[in-house]
């Protein structure tokens, strides 16, 4: 995440004492300040240095603040500009907002006021830059069209895809719900020489056995009640292209046998028909159940499995590719802000932190839904934690609560706000573990008597059990009769 520390600010004002005092206030915050006496000098600096924010007086000789604003934006599109106005020029400043000024501030102002405004402008600037950087990263993956991901795990998958897509090899895609199995199947088709032929999808779980058979292989007139005309199956429709069999793990044994034959011989008959039909189809199958386990449980034919399992893509769950969360979040932000006609620059750091911490059980689809909701709800220029679904906030918050103290072998990490008593107890218990329960050694390490250790640990246990007794009783009394 971009932060607003270490940013460069260009201060333009022809009144040196004013410039000096403002420089003092701003550099106190750690920002580097460049000073310019007029617009021309300002532009010179702007061309030379990476400037994040310009604070400029409105009325100046040679070039006024509005003109400077316009030129500056052409030199450095992502620079933010705050106009400083004197009495009587507020109207001009208000108009300048349309030319892309971040805001204006009227002289005289208090240090607190200017600092607040500068911080806000720098935060926005950081968001814009971050957004652009991510957009560029996303472009790197444009050859995969709609697939976003630059985590090592996804890169590996995409490499395999790029390698196998041009062939006609059968591909088995495994992954939890919402990990992108379908987008991956589509990408394989799009990157293959079959791209101009059909991509046909069949959801195997959605149909009962006979219907699925009819759907896959087609039927002749009169094959079953209601078959009033001959119908081509999906295998025929996909001829020359790709057939995507979604949720292949749900296919019944009968259909499994028929699929095996198509895979082995590339031929089949329509239901109720005798004519053997050949189809040139590339098969991509997906499953969110572990097919190998299904084979072991004899729910799935081993021979069919090995025919499908020529090339296997294992899509990692989103929680195992944290790096992709910001990329995906910004990608979906772009999609939904256009759809909802909203002007949102990005995510507040706190919101991104929540998204990075969450475990996303329903993976990319869940993230996509969360962002859509956030875009609809957002009232500001960036998405804040409160815009995210409550179940996500709750889960992350609950996790944080439990992490008051994190223990490993020889270290503990303590969140601010953890009660002293809790800290003492954890340190003592940790040390006792280290001393293999020897209170004497522990007391030497900690520099307290072993009696104190006993009192803090054992005594506390007694106290606690007493306490708990009381609490339970108390609650019982409070229950409505
Ligand atoms: N890498 C990705 N880049 C961009 N969008 C993605 C990516 N992965 C998934 N998505 C999006 O997430 C949603 C879920 O993806 P998809 O339908 O492919 O998942 P799935 O694994 O088939 O899920 P299910 O098992 O529930 O059918 C889709 O809207 C898809 O566009
Ligand atoms: Mg799917």
């Amino acid at each position: 995440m971009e932060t607003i520390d270490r940013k460069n600010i260009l201060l333009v004002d022809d009144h040196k004492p004013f410039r000096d005092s403002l420089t003092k206030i701003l550099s106190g915050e750690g920002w580097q300040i460049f000073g310019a006496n007029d617009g021309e000098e300002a532009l010179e600096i702007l061309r030379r240095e990476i400037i994040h924010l310009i604070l400029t007086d409105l009325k100046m000789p040679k070039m006024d603040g509005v003109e400077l604003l316009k030129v500056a934006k052409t030199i450095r599109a992502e620079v933010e500009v705050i106009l400083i106005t004197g009495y009587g020029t507020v109207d001009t400043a208000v108009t300048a907002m349309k030319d892309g000024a971040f805001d204006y501030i009227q002289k005289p102002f208090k240090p607190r006021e200017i600092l607040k405004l500068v911080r806000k402008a720098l935060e926005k600037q950081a968001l814009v830059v971050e957004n652009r950087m991510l957009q560029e990263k996303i472009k790197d993956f444009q050859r995969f069209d709609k697939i976003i991901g630059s985590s090592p795990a996804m890169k590996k998958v995409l490499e395999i895809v790029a390698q196998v897509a041009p062939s006609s090899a059968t591909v088995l895609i495994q992954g939890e719900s919402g990990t992108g199995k379908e987008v991956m199947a589509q990408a394989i088709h799009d990157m293959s020489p079959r791209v101009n032929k059909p991509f046909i999808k069949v959801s195997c779980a959605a149909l009962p056995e006979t219907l699925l058979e009819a759907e896959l292989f087609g039927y002749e007139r009169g094959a079953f009640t209601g078959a009033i005309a001959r119908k081509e199956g999906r295998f025929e429709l996909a001829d020359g292209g790709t057939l995507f069999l979604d949720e292949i793990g749900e296919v019944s044994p009968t259909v499994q046998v028929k699929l095996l034959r198509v895979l082995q011989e590339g031929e089949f008959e329509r239901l109720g028909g005798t004519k053997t039909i050949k189809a040139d189809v590339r098969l991509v199958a997906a499953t969110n159940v572990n097919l190998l386990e299904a084979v072991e449980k004899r729910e799935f034919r081993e021979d069919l499995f090995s025919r499908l399992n020529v090339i296997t893509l294992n899509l990692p769950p989103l929680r195992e590719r944290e790096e992709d969360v910001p990329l995906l979040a910004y990608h979906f932000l772009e999609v939904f802000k256009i759809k909802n006609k909203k002007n949102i620059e990005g995510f507040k750091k706190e919101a991104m932190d929540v998204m990075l911490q969450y475990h996303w059980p329903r993976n990319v689809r869940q993230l996509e839904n969360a962002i859509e909701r956030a875009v609809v709800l957002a009232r500001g220029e960036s998405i804040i934690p409160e815009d995210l679904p409550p179940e996500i906030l709750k889960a992350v918050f609950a996790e944080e609560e439990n992490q008051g103290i994190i223990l490993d072998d020889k270290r503990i990490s303590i969140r601010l706000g953890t009660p002293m008593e809790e800290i003492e107890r954890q340190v003592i218990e940790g040390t006792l573990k280290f001393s293999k329960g020897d209170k004497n050694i522990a007391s030497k390490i900690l520099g307290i008597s072993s009696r104190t250790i006993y009192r803090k640990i054992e005594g506390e246990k007694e106290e606690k059990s007493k306490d708990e007794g009381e609490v339970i009783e108390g609650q019982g009394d409070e229950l409505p009769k």
Side-chain angles (χ1 to χ4, degrees):
M1 251 354 237
E2 282 268 322
T3 63
I4 63 163
D5 317 330
R6 287 200 295 279
K7 293 278 176 181
N8 300 334
I9 300 175
L10 176 57
L11 185 54
V12 196
D13 198 304
D14 53 348
H15 188 50
K16 189 162 184 306
F18 173 78
R19 234 164 54 212
D20 288 345
S21 63
L22 195 49
T23 301
K24 216 185 221 165
I25 296 171
L26 294 171
S27 51
E29 298 292 302
W31 298 312
Q32 189 174 354
I33 314 300
F34 295 83
N37 201 40
D38 56 49
E40 278 168 18
E41 217 180 294
L43 291 177
E44 227 167 81
I45 296 174
L46 194 64
R47 288 193 187 95
R48 207 175 58 220
E49 305 287 342
I50 296 176
I51 299 294
H52 303 101
L53 172 67
I54 302 176
L55 285 173
T56 178
D57 194 9
L58 202 52
K59 259 201 206 151
M60 291 180 300
K62 289 193 229 176
M63 181 188 272
D64 71 11
V66 178
E67 235 176 297
L68 172 62
L69 159 74
K70 289 180 187 164
V71 183
K73 287 267 178 187
T74 64
I75 298 177
R76 205 174 279 286
E78 67 276 12
V79 75
E80 294 295 342
V81 179
I82 293 175
L83 297 165
I84 302 169
T85 73
Y87 176 76
T89 49
V90 171
D91 283 351
T92 325
V94 173
T95 324
M97 301 288 290
K98 289 197 201 74
D99 292 316
F102 176 76
D103 209 340
Y104 64 89
I105 188 164
Q106 199 177 346
K107 274 194 244 180
F109 48 75
K110 299 205 175 74
R112 180 166 49 80
E113 293 168 329
I114 186 75
L115 282 176
K116 193 172 158 205
L117 194 57
V118 165
R119 259 185 224 117
K120 254 177 78 182
L122 286 176
E123 263 168 25
K124 181 183 171 209
Q125 200 273 340
L127 269 177
V128 172
V129 169
E130 171 151 307
N131 195 347
R132 218 199 38 214
M133 264 163 30
L134 285 163
Q135 287 302 327
E136 266 159 27
K137 236 183 180 177
I138 287 168
K139 266 200 212 116
D140 279 356
F141 285 86
Q142 285 291 303
R143 73 194 176 110
F144 285 106
D145 222 351
K146 294 178 201 85
I147 297 183
I148 311 295
S150 66
S151 59
M154 274 307 273
K155 272 193 180 150
K156 227 193 241 164
V157 170
L158 292 177
E159 259 166 40
I160 302 176
V161 170
Q163 230 175 358
V164 304
S167 76
S168 277
T170 302
V171 180
L172 178 64
I173 308 175
Q174 306 202 83
E176 286 179 16
S177 174
T179 45
K181 296 185 290 296
E182 188 164 344
V183 279
M184 210 54 86
Q186 180 76 55
I188 292 170
H189 174 73
D190 293 349
M191 289 173 69
S192 78
R194 297 169 178 260
V195 58
N196 294 318
K197 292 287 168 72
F199 175 81
I200 305 277
K201 178 192 164 181
V202 181
S203 181
C204 300
L207 298 168
E209 177 174 314
T210 40
L211 274 184
L212 177 60
E213 265 191 88
E215 202 53 41
L216 286 172
F217 307 109
Y219 50 83
E220 298 291 344
R221 190 176 151 190
F224 48 84
T225 349
I228 47 169
R230 164 206 285 176
K231 195 177 171 232
E232 289 186 331
R234 300 292 174 112
F235 268 100
E236 275 173 87
L237 294 174
D239 192 24
T242 307
L243 182 65
F244 174 47
L245 294 180
D246 203 4
E247 299 184 61
I248 187 97
E250 306 294 322
V251 170
S252 70
T254 327
V255 181
Q256 285 181 34
V257 175
K258 294 202 171 179
L259 279 177
L260 181 64
R261 178 162 165 238
V262 193
L263 277 171
Q264 276 170 341
E265 282 138 39
E267 53 182 48
F268 56 92
E269 286 93 34
R270 296 194 192 108
L271 260 78
T274 48
K275 199 177 103 191
T276 298
I277 298 167
K278 281 196 178 285
D280 165 28
V281 169
R282 198 256 182 101
L283 210 64
V284 178
T287 171
N288 54 26
V289 300
N290 188 326
L291 269 196
L292 194 60
E293 272 174 24
V295 168
E296 275 158 12
K297 281 192 269 177
R298 303 197 178 275
E299 286 162 3
F300 202 85
R301 292 184 69 103
E302 190 171 3
D303 43 10
L304 178 58
F305 174 69
S306 47
R307 283 277 168 181
L308 291 171
N309 193 29
V310 182
I311 288 141
T312 307
L313 292 179
N314 286 309
L315 295 191
L318 189 54
R319 62 185 164 279
E320 284 170 22
R321 38 176 159 134
E322 202 177 74
E323 301 95 316
D324 291 344
V325 171
L327 284 180
L328 285 162
Y330 271 94
H331 165 71
F332 292 131
L333 177 66
E334 286 303 311
V335 172
F336 292 119
K337 84 184 202 198
I338 292 168
K339 190 174 153 197
N340 292 286
K341 300 196 179 68
K342 286 190 95 168
N343 184 22
I344 300 170
E345 295 286 351
F347 300 85
K348 270 266 149 62
K349 185 176 178 303
E350 295 78 12
M352 188 57 82
D353 285 346
V354 167
M355 293 193 288
L356 285 170
Q357 250 189 66
Y358 187 58
H359 59 287
W360 302 109
R362 281 164 287 122
N363 299 294
V364 184
R365 182 177 295 110
Q366 189 182 11
L367 177 64
E368 183 176 4
N369 294 340
I371 304 285
E372 175 162 29
R373 179 183 187 276
V375 168
V376 172
L377 291 181
R379 302 225 215 139
E381 275 186 337
S382 44
I383 288 179
I384 56 174
E386 288 74 14
D387 297 330
L388 297 168
E391 73 267 18
I392 292 176
L393 291 178
K394 241 185 263 165
V396 169
F397 191 66
E399 219 172 79
E400 279 192 357
E401 290 267 276
N402 286 337
Q403 286 179 350
I405 296 183
I406 308 157
L407 257 177
D408 67 20
D409 264 7
K410 289 186 189 136
R411 250 185 296 267
I412 61 172
S413 145
I414 299 161
R415 281 181 77 84
L416 289 181
T418 309
M420 257 351 252
E421 219 176 315
E422 175 72 8
I423 299 172
E424 269 190 345
R425 198 172 57 79
Q426 293 278 5
V427 173
I428 294 173
E429 280 184 6
T431 313
L432 276 172
K433 229 187 251 165
F434 177 73
S435 72
K436 301 204 167 56
D438 190 322
K439 291 201 184 71
N440 278 325
I441 295 179
S443 77
K444 293 223 170 70
I445 295 172
L446 293 171
I448 52 176
S449 70
S450 46
R451 253 190 51 222
T452 311
I453 292 188
Y454 181 81
R455 196 164 39 84
K456 298 252 182 215
I457 300 292
E458 302 298 324
E460 203 173 64
K461 272 188 202 154
E462 277 164 29
E463 288 275 301
K464 222 179 181 178
S465 56
K466 252 201 286 171
D467 275 1
E468 272 162 9
E470 271 163 28
V471 171
I472 290 163
E473 248 170 53
Q475 275 180 346
D477 283 342
E478 279 159 26
L479 285 176
K481 301 266 153 71

